[in-house]
Amino acid sequence: MESGLGGIVMLAATPIGNTDDASARLRRALETADVVAAEDTRRLRDLAGRLGIEVKGRVIAVHDHNEGERAADIVRVAAEGGTVLVVSDAGMPTVSDPGYRVVSEAVATDVPVTVLPGPSAVLTALALSGLPTDRFCFEGFAPRKAGERVRTFGALAAEPRTMVFFEAPHRLLDTLRAMSEAWGADRPGSVSRELTKTYEETRRGTLGELVAWAEESQPRGEIVVCIAGRPAEALGTDAAVSEALARIDAGERAKDAVADLASTTGLPRRELYDAVLRARQARAADEPPR
């Protein structure tokens, strides 16, 4: 379905850096939509200026803080025969960006929804990473607080798929360190920054190497991190104990974590459970008294 048919909500991907990546469909939709719901109206006007086009429809701001309140009104425009275009600052709406509530409202009220595909930081970084792409998962932004990062990465310790994360430059080093502690310094990964822009860069290596690089270079710009999933081969006892501890820290029961790891590694369950108990006792003994 194309812009101009009316009675539809359109999600449109916008350039993630290079304006030349704007599609012809995006240009037409920006010029003809009755309403353009933009994450940041100033950035939308700037994009239109760089594209040399005029946004003739009504422009409204729809962001994380007001989308819930405005979703019904936006969808009502389409229900009454209008064309609504939803755009975020960069990339595809709904992917760590506003748009999900609008789509949910449209689906709930049986209003047609379509997508104008285009640039995606997730897929671009994944393709550049050199890691397996046949199966992957997108995890959004890593938690800001250290304790939440530990729990999140512990819960992902057994994830076999390539994992993709967004991250802010000032938190990148802490995130890479936490990943290295949770999954091992030898886990392969990549860090991509400033995708499609003049200073685009992708750094590949183990988590240990990426930590050292981030410490030295202090990278800036918009960042996407890709990390390989857990290797399919069986883990050794030490690695299995480390993974069990990470999963327990994330809230999993010790018996459940050990049972799962024993079944996937072939290690004797009782032997692994005893090793985990010893490791927990040793860790508790090393902790300073409160």
Side-chain angles (χ1 to χ4, degrees), residues 1-21:
M1 301 177 104
E2 293 286 351
S3 172
L5 292 180
I8 193 167
V9 172
M10 301 187 296
L11 307 179
T14 53
I16 59 177
N18 192 324
T19 305
D20 290 341
D21 291 335

Side-chain angles (χ1 to χ4, degrees), residues 23 27 74 88 104 111 128 153 160 173 178-179 195 198 211 216 225 261 270 281:
S23 69
R27 293 170 183 265
I74 292 169
S88 59
S104 296
V111 170
L128 287 169
F153 295 159
L173 180 56
M179 289 175 169
L195 290 170
T198 302
V211 167
E216 181 179 353
V225 178
L261 287 167
R270 172 51 59 183
Q281 292 168 354

Side-chain angles (χ1 to χ4, degrees), residues 216-228:
E216 181 179 353
S217 62
Q218 298 181 342
R220 298 180 179 180
E222 297 180 353
I223 290 173
V224 187
V225 178
C226 298
I227 305 296

Side-chain angles (χ1 to χ4, degrees), residues 65-261:
H65 302 296
N66 70 2
E67 185 183 0
E69 300 172 359
R70 294 193 167 182
D73 291 337
I74 292 169
V75 172
R76 190 174 300 113
V77 173
E80 294 173 353
T83 301
V84 175
L85 179 67
V86 180
V87 295
S88 59
D89 291 344
M92 179 61 67
T94 75
V95 181
S96 280
D97 278 328
Y100 164 74
R101 291 179 178 85
V102 173
V103 174
S104 296
E105 179 69 20
V107 171
T109 54
D110 202 27
V111 170
V113 180
T114 191
V115 171
L116 281 58
S120 165
V122 174
L123 297 181
T124 301
L126 180 66
L128 287 169
S129 70
L131 300 173
T133 59
D134 53 336
R135 299 180 66 218
F136 69 93
C137 58
F138 174 57
E139 294 294 330
F141 283 90
R144 297 185 180 188
K145 296 182 179 179
E148 293 178 4
R149 276 200 301 268
V150 169
R151 288 190 290 273
T152 295
F153 295 159
L156 291 170
E159 175 57 63
R161 298 170 294 180
T162 298
M163 297 171 282
V164 184
F165 298 82
F166 287 162
E167 193 49 281
H170 62 280
R171 290 196 297 268
L172 176 64
L173 180 56
D174 287 342
T175 293
L176 290 174
R177 284 172 174 165
M179 289 175 169
S180 181
E181 292 172 1
W183 305 328
D186 59 347
R187 182 77 69 93
S190 71
V191 177
S192 294
R193 55 180 292 272
E194 297 293 84
L195 290 170
T196 76
K197 298 180 182 178
T198 302
Y199 298 105
E200 174 181 298
E201 176 185 17
T202 293
R203 187 80 176 190
R204 306 171 185 86
T206 65
L207 277 170
E209 292 169 339
L210 292 174
V211 167
W213 165 75
E215 288 175 335
E216 181 179 353
S217 62
Q218 298 181 342
R220 298 180 179 180
E222 297 180 353
I223 290 173
V224 187
V225 178
C226 298
I227 305 296
R230 192 187 77 176
E233 62 267 16
L235 299 174
T237 300
D238 290 344
V241 169
S242 296
E243 182 166 323
L245 291 175
R247 291 169 64 168
I248 293 167
D249 289 341
E252 190 171 351
R253 290 177 49 189
K255 289 185 178 180
D256 293 339
V258 168
D260 179 59
L261 287 167

